[in-house]
Amino acid sequence: METFSAKAEDVEREWWQVDLDGVVLGRAASRIATLLRGKHKPIYTAHVDCGDFVICTNCAGVELTGSKLDDKVYR
């Protein structure tokens, strides 16, 4: 058996729209990072950009747990 290695022309990119209203910030960030890197695809190869395009909506409604809203500054 041979190991499959994806090439740039094998990658089919998709568009994802993520609604962040009421979602915890860290969980949303890790899920979006997975989509951007392409690790959710079975053809994922580390040296090839297999990621998809992500559009985030309702970013003002993201949830911050604990006292991060008071202690941290997000830019």
Side-chain angles (χ1 to χ4, degrees):
M1 295 189 63
E2 294 182 12
T3 303
F4 176 75
S5 181
K7 297 173 185 62
E9 57 269 5
D10 295 336
V11 177
E12 295 181 12
R13 297 179 182 271
E14 298 177 10
W15 286 89
W16 293 81
Q17 182 176 2
V18 179
D19 184 19
L20 297 178
D21 190 29
V23 179
V24 178
L25 178 63
R27 292 178 188 268
S30 64
R31 179 66 180 145
I32 291 169
T34 301
L35 293 172
L36 288 173
R37 291 199 61 201
K39 292 189 93 172
H40 64 288
K41 295 182 178 183
I43 66 164
Y44 172 74
T45 306
H47 66 278
V48 178
D49 183 15
C50 299
D52 291 336
F53 304 109
V54 178
I55 299 172
C56 298
T57 57
N58 296 327
C59 297
V62 72
E63 297 279 328
L64 298 174
T65 58
S67 62
K68 291 187 200 93
L69 185 60
D70 301 325
D71 297 341
K72 290 187 127 180
V73 177
Y74 294 99
R75 295 187 178 135

